[in-house]
Amino acid sequence: MWRTRLLAVLLAGTAVTTASAQSIVLEEIVVAGSEGEQTGEAADADAGTPSDTPAGSSVSALNPRLSPEAEAALAAPEATTILTRGTLQREQGRSVADALQSVPGVLVTETADDPGISINIRGMQEFDRVAVTVDGARQNFSRSGHSANGSVYIDQRMIKSVDITRGPIQAVGGSAVGGTVAFQTIDPDDVLLEGERYGARVESTVETNGPGGKLHGEAAWRINEAFDVLAAATVGRSSDYVDGIGDTVISASDLMSGLAKVRMRNDDGHETTLTAMRLANNFDNGTSTVRYTEQTDDTVTLGHRWDSENPYIDLTAKAYYSGTHLDQKDRTGPYVGSRRSFDIKTYGGEFYNASTYEIAGFENTTTVGGDGFYDDVTSEDDRGLANGNTPSGQRGVYGVYVQHEIKRGWFELIGALRYDGYVLDGVDHDNNEDIHKDGGHLSPKITLAVTPVDPVTLYASYSEAFRSPSVTETLVQGVHPAPAFPFYPNPNLNPEIAHNIEAGVNLAFNDLAFKGDQMRLKGSVFHNTVDDYIDTVCTSNILEPGCTYENVTKAKLYGFELDALYDTGRVYGRVTATYIESKDEEDDEPLGSVQPWRVSGTLGARALHGKLDAGATLTYTAAKDDESLDITSEAYTLLDAYVNYDITKDTAVRLTLKNILNKQYTQYLDLEPSPGFSAFLTVSHRFGGGISPALAQGDAL
């Protein structure tokens, strides 16, 4: 009954927000009619040829998908993409997965009956191969099952930006053999306009497939120039969705999340930020045995930045705690009422300092730092099964590094060294033995970038990265539920070492075909060889059947990625492409974690002085059919569309349509069919006040 009431509240919230927006737009029409003019920025956006946009300025002046930070990522000599809050809102779906998969090389696997997501970059997935952080705090939760063994729970309405780096990482951000995904949560600047003392924003979303919705609110208060605070909350409900042929897929879940953030700063360049976030989901999980599941995720970070006037001091330090607890109770099957739980607590921190100086006309930046985390994993099961295939244990991982960057005109050279180490402890309960593992590795990196012609940058790099075995990979044991077979621990696992060679080109053209148009392109090719790749190995040998994790001599992953954008102001387009191949050198077979090749194209247009933004995206995903792989998928083509209208500068309406052609398909590595046609309607309104007298007179605006 309470779920029905919740849905009614969400629908009412949308209606109230829409009614408020209607009254506001009537006021705006009256004001606009009396003034009889428009701002220069709006006029330029409507004209499509901004007369006051200087050459070389940010594409963000034309394309709201591309912020200055996102454009800087496209220009960097590495495979990096930044998604802003605006992009996340335009790409909205049932989860943040839709936005992440707009990035080349990224695949997000989901289980319909679990709101967690698992992020795959260039075929690398699970067990920290992709380092996922929220406000710098590692998200290391994993649970063994038939789907992805690692997942993260995200409320996309709390996210300000996502920084995605593809390929081995071994400096700032920690070491990862596949890449990093860094989520940053919203802060007071996302609510308050310049000069405002207080403000709030409310957003209500309803969806058609899996009828339900979300109600989100955020409020901020700038007490003075040195102190501001933010609080935000989301409540939502999603029902079971239907696939392309109308079959119901169990996917209902209830969401509650909250975020609090406090920032303090002074005139000496010091800024301290304290963030606390909790996210909770309730849902039914499982097929043959359905389990009522309660999941809670907590993240607390304390960070400090000292951006000194001294060019040798730009210091960042952070300490954090993140924890995920998942509790399950059997609702069906032979053991109704049986309980099991999975819990991970991660404690960590990082520090680094960047020094900038000039020598002989060369700009130099030296970054020195370190980071580490400690995982404490606890699993319990009344039946003694899940605590074997997701075993308890502890692992500590740490690293120190130095990176130096030299730039002068058309030339840029980056070199880095990082040492990583780890310690792992646990128990082999089958043999009653304590297991202890440790080790380390020194990883180099070198990148050379040249700009022979101003809009064209070429770069090439070699980098190594280190991944220690996880608690589960080392200590897995016990028995699989029927059909029963044993798991065996492997205390002799070696860490994975990635060796990545990459080359790319960045293009940045202005006034290419028309005055004021802009084109940005990032293309890259890569070849990543992973020594001692850890994979699941099972045998049906009558004498010793079962599964364990073992090192593969070498695994190779190679391919290319493309991300190209073109914008005239009135009309814009984007094309992305991903192609990846892989091979297990031990048995000369491909890896099952590598996605099929994919290409997508977006065409959009703006009108009404830039207030209306509409577009459509066509995505083709190839088939994956290799006899050596148990997981295959058919080719499919998806058509999505969006319409965004800014009623005022504070009120907006967004309509997103997913799988318009109602295709029946199952995304590669997913277990259940993907949703059929789905529509999402969002209405948001922001208000603020407390503007100082100086700002009210226009002195600072």
Side-chain angles (χ1 to χ4, degrees), residues 205-536:
T205 300
V206 292
E207 56 186 289
T208 61
N209 191 356
K214 307 287 191 301
L215 182 62
H216 171 79
E218 54 199 44
W221 182 26
R222 184 174 289 125
I223 300 173
N224 52 47
E225 291 302 315
F227 192 81
D228 53 27
V229 297
L230 173 137
T234 303
V235 59
R237 161 70 178 169
S238 295
S239 303
D240 297 336
Y241 69 73
V242 296
D243 59 20
I245 59 176
D247 291 339
T248 299
V249 179
I250 295 176
S251 55
S253 65
D254 299 320
L255 164 70
M256 293 187 67
S257 68
L259 170 69
K261 182 171 291 190
V262 178
R263 294 192 306 188
M264 298 166 285
R265 62 184 75 81
N266 63 27
D267 295 335
D268 296 327
H270 291 273
E271 180 173 303
T272 301
T273 303
L274 174 63
T275 302
M277 182 168 65
R278 165 164 283 197
L279 185 150
N281 287 287
N282 297 335
F283 52 95
D284 285 337
N285 174 255
T287 52
S288 57
T289 297
V290 176
R291 299 180 175 92
Y292 176 70
T293 303
E294 295 179 333
Q295 171 269 324
T296 304
D297 189 282
D298 293 311
T299 301
V300 180
T301 64
L302 177 62
H304 185 78
R305 169 86 183 278
W306 182 19
D307 187 4
S308 171
E309 293 181 359
N310 185 334
Y312 293 95
I313 301 177
D314 187 352
L315 178 67
T316 299
K318 180 168 293 183
Y320 63 82
Y321 163 81
S322 65
T324 300
H325 179 79
L326 191 145
D327 187 78
Q328 296 187 310
K329 181 179 180 180
D330 288 12
R331 295 185 59 180
T332 66
Y335 302 96
V336 173
S338 178
R339 291 184 175 273
R340 64 181 194 175
S341 64
F342 307 89
D343 185 86
I344 182 171
K345 298 180 177 68
T346 300
Y347 308 87
E350 67 171 346
F351 72 91
Y352 59 89
N353 181 72
S355 302
T356 58
Y357 48 94
E358 185 173 316
I359 299 178
F362 288 87
E363 300 176 18
N364 292 263
T365 303
T366 302
T367 304
V368 179
D371 52 68
F373 63 83
Y374 174 81
D375 286 337
D376 185 3
V377 180
T378 303
S379 301
E380 298 179 349
D381 188 348
D382 291 347
R383 297 173 57 199
L385 296 174
N387 56 338
N389 54 54
T390 304
S392 301
Q394 298 79 39
R395 180 181 61 151
V397 178
Y398 58 91
V400 292
Y401 56 86
V402 58
Q403 177 174 290
H404 188 74
E405 179 181 0
I406 304 173
K407 297 178 68 175
R408 182 175 180 176
W410 55 269
F411 172 85
E412 181 177 2
L413 181 65
I414 303 172
L417 282 174
R418 177 184 175 101
Y419 179 81
D420 289 285
Y422 81 102
V423 176
L424 186 150
D425 290 289
V427 178
D428 177 356
H429 293 283
D430 292 339
N431 297 306
N432 197 27
E433 294 180 355
D434 292 334
I435 292 178
H436 174 83
K437 289 280 294 179
D438 58 49
H441 181 76
L442 182 66
S443 304
K445 170 188 174 180
I446 186 165
T447 299
L448 174 64
V450 296
T451 306
V453 183
D454 188 33
V456 180
T457 298
L458 306 173
Y459 67 89
S461 69
Y462 171 79
S463 61
E464 294 183 9
F466 166 95
R467 183 185 77 89
S468 66
S470 69
V471 170
T472 293
E473 290 169 315
T474 306
L475 302 175
V476 63
Q477 53 198 281
V479 179
H480 184 281
F485 58 84
F487 295 106
Y488 300 106
N490 186 355
N492 299 315
L493 282 176
N494 295 320
E496 294 178 346
I497 309 296
H499 310 261
N500 189 60
I501 300 172
E502 187 151 347
V505 57
N506 300 330
L507 304 181
F509 288 98
N510 301 314
D511 302 323
L512 184 64
F514 306 96
K515 182 180 179 181
D517 72 353
Q518 295 187 348
M519 190 272 281
R520 300 292 183 264
L521 181 146
K522 179 183 283 289
S524 59
V525 295
F526 63 91
H527 189 286
N528 189 11
T529 300
V530 184
D531 294 339
D532 289 320
Y533 182 83
I534 300 174
D535 203 0
T536 307

Side-chain angles (χ1 to χ4, degrees), residues 537-569:
V537 176
C538 297
T539 176
S540 57
N541 188 310
I542 297 178
L543 297 178
E544 196 175 10
C547 295
T548 187
Y549 289 94
E550 293 184 0
N551 291 111
V552 174
T553 304
K554 285 184 188 297
K556 292 185 177 180
L557 303 100
Y558 49 92
F560 71 83
E561 298 162 346
L562 175 69
D563 194 351
L565 303 97
Y566 178 72
D567 200 319
T568 69

